[in-house]
């Protein structure tokens, strides 16, 4: 019943910015943690960031710390991933997913529901 839909992907130049959105329906958003994952061609899916149900806890992969920021607006049922200073290695399909206990954990097995993904391409 829980549904997640990503949007905001596209092409961006290195040093630019992009904001991804994850719209959640079918459940009150403040009950679940939300994670962002990505998968580049020829590589396994990896965790990017997560945010707890309350928004009080966040976690980031070392590769994106200081450049990416995740936040949530429970009133709008939406979680965001702000991508600043993207680099070519950030090119991937980005997915959001829900963790039903409300925790912020960058482990794929923790997440039960997944969106279909949105493509981000970083190129000059």
């Amino acid at each position: 019943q829980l549904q997640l839909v990503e949007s905001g992907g596209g092409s961006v130049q290195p040093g630019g910015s992009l904001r991804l959105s994850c719209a959640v329906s079918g459940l009150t958003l403040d009950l679940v943690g939300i994670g962002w994952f990505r998968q580049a061609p020829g590589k396994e899916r990896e965790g990017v960031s997560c945010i707890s149900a309350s928004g009080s806890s966040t976690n980031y992969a070392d590769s994106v710390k200081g450049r990416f920021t995740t936040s949530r607006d429970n009133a709008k049922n939406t979680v965001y991933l702000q991508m600043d200073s993207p680099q070519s290695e950030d090119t991937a399909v980005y997915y959001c997913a829900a963790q039903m206990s409300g925790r912020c954990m960058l482990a794929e097995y923790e997440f039960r529901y997944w969106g279909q993904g949105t493509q981000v391409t970083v190129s000059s």
Side-chain angles (χ1 to χ4, degrees):
Q1 187 173 5
L2 182 65
Q3 186 176 23
L4 304 96
V5 180
E6 303 93 338
S7 63
S11 297
V12 62
Q13 293 184 334
S17 64
L18 200 66
R19 189 176 77 161
L20 307 183
S21 298
C22 176
V24 180
S25 62
L27 189 73
T28 303
L29 183 58
D30 63 4
L31 298 177
V32 299
I34 297 293
W36 288 96
F37 298 80
R38 67 185 181 187
Q39 187 167 25
K43 300 182 67 176
E44 295 183 352
R45 188 156 57 189
E46 64 177 345
V48 176
S49 68
C50 61
I51 185 166
S52 64
S54 67
S56 63
S57 179
T58 57
N59 198 10
Y60 298 91
D62 289 341
S63 60
V64 305
K65 285 182 179 178
R67 299 188 298 115
F68 292 6
T69 304
T70 191
S71 61
R72 65 192 299 156
D73 187 338
N74 290 344
K76 296 181 178 180
N77 291 335
T78 302
V79 175
Y80 304 98
L81 182 66
Q82 178 69 38
M83 304 172 61
D84 294 324
S85 300
Q87 303 166 12
S88 60
E89 56 264 35
D90 296 317
T91 295
V93 176
Y94 284 72
Y95 303 86
C96 62
Q99 205 272 9
M100 303 306 292
S101 71
R103 298 187 301 174
C104 178
M105 299 287 292
L106 278 180
E108 188 170 329
Y109 67 83
E110 292 277 334
F111 295 82
R112 180 181 299 176
Y113 297 96
W114 293 76
Q116 294 300 305
T118 185
Q119 176 71 48
V120 173
T121 301
V122 184
S123 177
S124 60

